[in-house]
Amino acid sequence: MTLKLVVWRQEGPNDSGRFETYLAKGITGHHSFLEMLDVVNQELIHGGKEPIVFDHDCREGICGTCSMVINGVPHGGQDRTTTCQLHMRNFKDGDTIYLEPWRSKAFPIRKDLMVDRSALDRIIQAGGYISVHAGSPVDANAILIAKKDADYSMDAAECIGCGACVAACPNGSAMLFTSAKVSHFAALPQGQVEAKERVGKMLEAMKDCGFGNCTNHYECQAACPKGIDVKFIAKLNREYLKSVFC
Amino acid sequence: MILDGKSPTGPTEETWDKYRNDMKPVNPTNKRKFKVLVVGTGLAGASAAASLAELGYNVDAFCYQDSPRRAHSIAAQGGINAAKNYPNDADSVWRLFYDTVKGGDFRSREADVWRLAQVSNSIIDQCVAQGIPFARDYAGYLENRSFGGAQVSRTFYARGQTGQQLLLGAYSALSRQIKAGGVRIFPRTEMQDLILADGVAKGITVRNLLTGEISSHVGDAVLLCTGGYVNVYDLSTNAMGSNVSAIWKAYRKGAYLANPCYTQIHPTCIPQSGDYQSKLTLMSESLRNDGRCWVPKKRGDNRPANQIPEEDRDYYLERKYPTFGNLAPRDIASRSAKEQCDDGRGVGPGGRGVYLDCRDAIKRLGEDVMRERYGNLFEMYEQITGEDGYKVPMRIYPAPHYSMGGLWVDYNLMSNIPGLFVLGEANFSVHGANRLGASALMQGLADGYFIIPYTLANYLSGVAPGGLSVDGPEVKASIEDVKLNIQKLLSINGKRTAAEFRRDLHHVMWEDAGMTRSKESLTDAIRKVPSIRKEFWENVNVPGTGTGINQELEKAGRAADFLEFAELLARDALHRDESCGGHFRVEHQTEDGEAIRDDENFTYSAAWEFKGEGKEPELHKEPLKFEKVHLAVRSYK
């Protein structure tokens, strides 16, 4: 296949970017999307040009590093698929593909398709943990957890922190991300003691980082490569109200 | 030189308790005077940084990723072992210890393995307290499943994402300490050099991957927690960025590198489909419970799999290993698959694959049951290959997966350089020549949460804090060296990219120093690798500059180190004239392909010392004693 790529190129955070067009030649259906970009980059280097900068690492859909908007949709829009697991058999010979970085005020562009997602770390640092010291906690079976609670908690814990939810949201909200972490802990007995404080601090950090609020567009759920459910945002809201009024 | 691993003496069962009682603590008010540098923030690094900061030390933590949550520990699927004996199937610390020593093919230290087994139970307690959502049964108790190499059910798991959940636990503990000010975190920062002062590790030189700035950090101890080196094969199951550089720089500064030839090859990976390929993806080994491995009997039989009748198929594992069949252990299954392909009977692109056929199981159990058991794996396979494993047999091929070798450390996890500690996959300690499933996560967290807080204290209790000035001559020299190296890479302006050199290296390493090795193939590798290296330094093309983001420069720097390390791996494999675990020398096998160890001559860890550019490294031996588990043949018949 030969494809036309229209790619956002930007030197640095303070430069104005522009779209540039490249041809991806000799691509097969077996190429993953990032392997297709590798091929393009090799050609750019051989032609004396600078390769396209993009973030990636594990290339098996779990580390959450890869991040690009493909034809207007974070991760390219295939259900429950990160960019690294998207394969070129989903495209046709001659297709034009638009490539942009995650779009959000809270994610400044570093270069080309690479953005700064440290705001997500700051939300976790504000309280996305259980404050237990390493050492000698009680036996793991001393506190029982109902299977349905453990499963619910695990459903939320699957979030890989890629930030697609933010990039997909018209408000640039990090509610799905934050709600996944809050719900993960809220379902467990271990997370209860700090629950009130946690939800407040994390929401505060979210606001400070420049993320918007949720107005129920559900774009986040549609873009999430791990299928994190918007029901967790409802849970987050309940946890927040509980922390204020109960 | 005979190396001393400093294992405590006396009955093995008492070694760790006795050691902890004897060690010297650091006064709480003195702890805050010490600075510890932690490189790498995977399971080992994040757990160590969090634990040490909790104790009151000042910690600076570094990782190349944009966030510590993305370290490659996150990709581990299967589970983590512990000797809890919750299922009442007679598990015990002793049994976990025994299985691990035997699984490692008697090439690890007994006392170290004992300690790992002993603290394994605390790891589970710690992780549950952190809120890791392990699988539970309907009564609310923790679930277990069984894994290869053990007769008991001792593996704790969180769906197929155990590594992710454990890493997020360590990351959240780390995040808490970052907020509290105990840890300063440096993401997108890569270690370029180790700084010694009078032979003691006192600092590191790093490159900021966003600005290109080269700077140094000094401290009272350096902890390398930088993972494994199997990306020396270029195509492996590791993340793209996983590299050998940090431990290689330490090796060049005098740290011994032990058993580099021990690498684990995993049999159940999705085969390579072309030269553009960036990695190999692992599928769970559990598929071999219901899948049958076969290849066509005739060479060049390229009929579609479903049109090859029963009598023309060779179920080679069932033929060769009637008792274990398709569940033969990893090393045997891997070698057998490659044998079939080398014999010209492989399937798929380039003949590098064997069929993993679930047809009979689907007939027996129905597609629904199969979907329930392995649905996610079939989906993943279809996403990558575009083939439906329910309709046509899947194709698999072995791939390099995990490093059992690494920097040499003593019982304190300290290398031969005072003040340089090495944790997790980056060290060589507990796995021996082979690693059983669900034991890598255990080691990372054991080292970080439960061992280093004690052994580091023992070291620091004899150290005056603040030993090196950031303006000292050692620091300046290190920064100069690093800048010079980067300048050299940028100035070559050759014709070939770093990725192309990595691919050349892959071919040599996989063919000559991969699953099977021989004196001839290894001698060949030792001859070929330097010529690739030579061409690299004359003809590599690194575009851009040293300032700002330059991903090609990062790749070239890592490739340069792999090109040196590869030769040491081959050298170690050549010297070890026996077969054991992940190291299989064709000269040493039984008639039916079992590995033959040579305990009389090789019951030692091989630690290599750098003697200078272009010079042969020097081999040091650490003899291994087996007092509790008696040396015996690993048999799977």
Side-chain angles (χ1 to χ4, degrees):
Chain A
M1 292 190 271
T2 300
L3 305 133
K4 192 166 113 185
L5 304 185
V6 184
V7 186
W8 185 257
R9 303 297 306 255
Q10 183 172 334
E11 263 309 298
N14 302 318
D15 299 299
S16 56
R18 71 213 174 270
F19 279 106
E20 288 204 355
T21 306
Y22 308 100
L23 280 186
K25 287 176 281 192
I27 305 300
T28 73
H30 289 300
H31 284 73
S32 71
F33 200 88
L34 299 186
E35 285 164 355
M36 181 273 292
L37 281 181
D38 290 340
V39 171
V40 172
N41 271 347
Q42 291 293 305
E43 208 160 296
L44 286 175
I45 299 168
H46 282 304
K49 297 194 183 111
E50 279 210 35
I52 303 158
V53 170
F54 61 94
D55 258 333
H56 64 95
D57 202 15
C58 80
R59 296 208 175 185
E60 49 187 279
I62 189 73
C63 75
T65 307
C66 58
S67 52
M68 58 185 78
V69 174
I70 301 167
N71 289 336
V73 189
H75 292 302
Q78 181 172 310
D79 198 30
R80 295 196 178 205
T81 307
T82 53
T83 300
C84 68
Q85 289 292 290
L86 182 66
H87 278 70
M88 295 310 292
R89 66 181 64 88
N90 298 295
F91 296 86
K92 289 191 305 291
D93 189 35
D95 275 359
T96 299
I97 306 173
Y98 288 84
L99 282 177
E100 296 161 86
W102 272 181
R103 293 176 292 196
S104 165
K105 182 183 155 203
F107 293 161
I109 294 176
R110 288 289 188 194
K111 189 172 182 177
D112 298 346
L113 306 177
M114 180 193 277
V115 301
D116 175 2
R117 286 172 289 188
S118 56
L120 299 182
D121 287 318
R122 291 197 292 281
I123 294 175
I124 298 296
Q125 285 158 17
Y129 45 75
I130 291 171
S131 301
V132 53
H133 285 272
S136 42
V138 294
D139 184 86
N141 260 344
I143 302 171
L144 299 182
I145 301 172
K147 185 176 181 334
K148 69 168 175 41
D149 294 338
D151 286 349
Y152 177 93
S153 177
M154 184 64 215
D155 286 344
E158 287 199 24
C159 168
I160 57 173
C162 65
C165 49
V166 177
C169 177
N171 306 335
S173 166
M175 282 288 249
L176 193 67
F177 171 83
T178 309
S179 73
K181 193 44 84 182
V182 166
S183 303
H184 161 196
F185 290 135
L188 300 172
Q190 288 85 357
Q192 294 312 306
V193 178
E194 299 169 285
K196 266 190 186 182
E197 248 178 284
R198 177 182 306 116
V199 65
K201 283 179 178 173
M202 289 179 78
L203 285 173
E204 195 62 32
M206 209 182 84
K207 202 174 68 190
D208 290 348
C209 290
F211 292 105
N213 271 313
C214 175
T215 46
N216 298 321
H217 287 265
Y218 295 179
E219 295 287 346
C220 51
Q221 177 178 289
C224 177
K226 294 294 151 185
I228 305 291
D229 199 301
V230 289
K231 74 180 179 194
F232 295 122
I233 297 182
K235 174 76 176 168
L236 171 73
N237 288 332
R238 278 203 303 281
E239 287 296 312
Y240 179 68
L241 291 175
K242 248 167 47 184
S243 79
V244 176
F245 296 114
C246 296
Chain B
M1 183 174 118
I2 300 294
L3 279 172
D4 178 11
K6 298 205 178 69
S7 289
T9 49
T12 308
E13 298 94 321
E14 293 164 20
T15 43
W16 178 230
D17 293 332
K18 185 170 173 300
Y19 181 88
R20 281 195 296 177
N21 293 337
D22 291 349
M23 67 138 207
K24 293 187 275 308
V26 177
N27 178 315
T29 54
N30 285 339
K31 282 184 182 137
R32 67 177 86 102
K33 295 176 185 161
F34 288 105
K35 161 81 65 79
V36 182
L37 309 176
V38 178
V39 187
T41 55
L43 284 183
S47 59
S51 303
L52 294 172
E54 259 172 26
L55 287 167
Y57 299 103
N58 295 296
V59 178
D60 281 359
F62 306 82
C63 65
Y64 74 73
Q65 295 90 351
D66 69 331
S67 162
R69 69 175 295 143
R70 307 199 200 283
H72 193 56
S73 310
I74 206 163
Q77 300 164 356
I80 177 167
N81 282 339
K84 284 285 200 184
N85 195 32
Y86 288 155
N88 195 28
D89 53 3
D91 199 6
S92 62
V93 170
W94 198 89
R95 198 176 286 267
L96 176 53
F97 157 71
Y98 174 87
D99 288 346
T100 307
V101 170
K102 183 183 163 209
D105 223 348
F106 300 94
R107 292 293 177 264
S108 46
R109 275 189 217 124
E110 277 194 342
D112 294 48
V113 178
W114 174 269
R115 177 173 62 186
L116 174 73
Q118 186 179 336
V119 305
S120 68
N121 290 338
S122 307
I123 297 173
I124 304 301
D125 299 339
Q126 175 71 24
C127 291
V128 166
Q130 284 175 341
I132 286 163
F134 283 119
R136 299 266 168 175
D137 66 17
Y138 283 98
Y141 293 95
L142 287 153
E143 279 271 30
N144 288 117
R145 61 184 169 199
S146 42
F147 240 72
Q151 310 278 15
V152 294
S153 190
R154 62 160 73 104
T155 307
F156 295 78
Y157 62 100
R159 293 205 184 129
Q161 297 151 7
T162 317
Q164 182 202 19
Q165 294 311 317
L166 296 177
L167 180 66
L168 290 181
Y171 160 76
S172 62
L174 177 65
S175 298
R176 173 171 166 248
Q177 293 304 324
I178 293 169
K179 184 73 171 180
V183 177
R184 279 198 305 168
I185 183 84
F186 296 85
R188 294 209 196 263
T189 303
E190 186 163 27
M191 174 175 151
Q192 301 281 326
D193 195 20
L194 176 71
I195 302 171
L196 306 185
D198 298 326
V200 180
K202 288 290 182 189
I204 58 172
T205 299
V206 299
R207 178 170 186 269
N208 179 322
L209 301 180
L210 294 174
T211 63
E213 188 202 353
I214 308 295
S215 63
S216 287
H217 295 257
V218 297
D220 302 293
V222 177
L223 273 52
L224 298 186
C225 317
T226 53
Y229 52 71
V230 291
N231 265 348
V232 68
Y233 291 94
D234 185 21
L235 284 180
S236 81
T237 64
N238 279 198
M240 299 293 286
S242 299
N243 65 78
V244 77
S245 291
I247 66 169
W248 189 251
K249 305 294 189 194
Y251 166 76
R252 288 181 62 110
K253 282 289 170 84
Y256 298 166
L257 219 161
N259 303 332
C261 76
Y262 295 162
T263 50
Q264 184 179 69
I265 315 277
H266 202 292
T268 323
C269 300
I270 299 177
Q272 191 184 352
S273 51
D275 251 359
Y276 56 83
Q277 193 140 349
S278 55
K279 79 166 295 161
L280 296 168
T281 302
L282 182 73
M283 290 197 296
S284 169
E285 220 178 333
S286 61
L287 273 172
R288 288 194 290 138
N289 279 304
D290 282 308
R292 300 176 71 193
C293 293
W294 65 274
V295 289
K297 276 186 183 160
K298 272 180 288 187
R299 290 198 188 98
D301 184 346
N302 42 26
R303 286 176 285 178
N306 286 340
Q307 288 171 28
I308 298 180
E310 207 57 26
E311 62 271 20
D312 291 344
R313 299 177 175 198
D314 178 14
Y315 294 91
Y316 59 91
L317 282 174
E318 296 166 38
R319 169 170 60 80
K320 285 168 65 181
Y321 305 97
T323 321
F324 268 72
N326 294 296
L327 275 177
R330 285 180 186 178
D331 49 346
I332 298 220
S334 295
R335 279 199 301 277
S336 298
K338 186 164 186 284
E339 262 167 39
Q340 309 308 315
C341 299
D342 290 349
D343 193 35
R345 298 184 302 142
V347 298
R352 284 183 302 248
V354 298
Y355 287 124
L356 177 69
D357 196 345
C358 293
R359 181 192 66 179
D360 295 350
I362 293 171
K363 231 182 261 170
R364 190 174 70 242
L365 303 164
E367 205 171 304
D368 285 346
V369 174
M370 285 297 279
R371 209 175 286 278
E372 212 165 280
R373 280 190 193 171
Y374 310 109
N376 61 327
L377 298 171
F378 280 78
E379 274 171 36
M380 183 173 80
Y381 183 79
E382 184 165 5
Q383 203 160 54
I384 293 173
T385 64
E387 293 168 20
D388 180 353
Y390 295 106
K391 297 208 168 71
V392 293
M394 294 191 256
R395 291 172 293 112
I396 56 167
Y397 198 63
H401 182 53
Y402 191 89
S403 329
M404 271 87 64
L407 286 185
W408 183 87
V409 289
D410 64 16
Y411 188 72
N412 298 306
L413 303 181
M414 187 162 88
S415 71
N416 58 302
I417 296 177
L420 179 67
F421 292 78
V422 193
L423 281 65
E425 193 181 353
N427 76 28
F428 88 117
S429 74
V430 291
H431 298 308
N434 183 44
R435 178 180 76 82
L436 294 179
S439 64
L441 301 181
M442 183 168 58
Q443 190 210 350
L445 292 181
D447 287 2
Y449 284 136
F450 296 107
I451 299 171
I452 199 68
Y454 295 99
T455 61
L456 181 69
N458 199 39
Y459 168 75
L460 291 178
S461 64
V463 169
L468 185 65
S469 149
V470 79
D471 304 318
E474 299 90 345
V475 175
K476 280 189 177 143
S478 170
I479 289 184
E480 275 318 299
D481 280 354
V482 168
K483 284 185 174 166
L484 219 63
N485 194 50
I486 288 173
Q487 217 34 58
K488 204 169 148 196
L489 283 169
L490 287 166
S491 65
I492 297 167
N493 283 321
K495 295 258 179 290
R496 304 183 69 213
T497 63
E500 286 164 340
F501 285 103
R502 289 285 302 279
R503 217 168 291 146
D504 289 354
L505 182 65
H506 171 77
H507 289 304
V508 173
M509 295 309 284
W510 183 242
E511 294 305 326
D512 294 341
M515 261 184 294
T516 55
R517 298 115 185 233
S518 66
K519 188 179 170 193
E520 286 71 33
S521 76
L522 291 164
T523 313
D524 232 25
I526 295 171
R527 190 176 51 77
K528 286 179 199 156
V529 171
S531 69
I532 304 175
R533 193 165 62 225
K534 185 164 174 288
E535 201 208 326
F536 175 88
W537 284 105
E538 288 164 357
N539 197 26
V540 74
N541 177 0
V542 184
T545 66
T547 53
I549 297 165
N550 187 341
Q551 293 178 323
E552 281 300 307
L553 178 61
E554 295 165 27
K555 284 183 205 164
R558 292 166 194 159
D561 294 330
F562 276 128
L563 282 165
E564 293 182 6
F565 170 74
E567 190 181 333
L568 186 69
L569 190 157
R571 218 173 263 286
D572 183 48
L574 177 65
H575 115 276
R576 188 166 284 278
D577 198 11
E578 64 163 348
S579 293
C580 62
H583 169 64
F584 190 82
R585 283 283 293 267
V586 293
E587 301 95 326
H588 302 285
Q589 57 178 315
T590 60
E591 268 179 22
D592 44 9
E594 299 285 356
I596 301 177
R597 264 197 341 253
D598 179 354
D599 290 335
E600 200 169 315
N601 293 307
F602 288 98
T603 310
Y604 61 78
S605 298
W608 298 90
E609 182 186 0
F610 182 68
K611 300 300 274 187
E613 202 92 48
K615 295 195 180 119
E616 279 198 24
E618 186 183 342
L619 174 64
H620 303 286
K621 296 176 182 176
E622 183 197 339
L624 296 168
K625 274 184 263 162
F626 293 91
E627 287 162 350
K628 282 277 177 284
V629 187
H630 297 294
L631 286 158
V633 175
R634 264 170 91 220
S635 170
Y636 303 100
K637 287 279 161 186

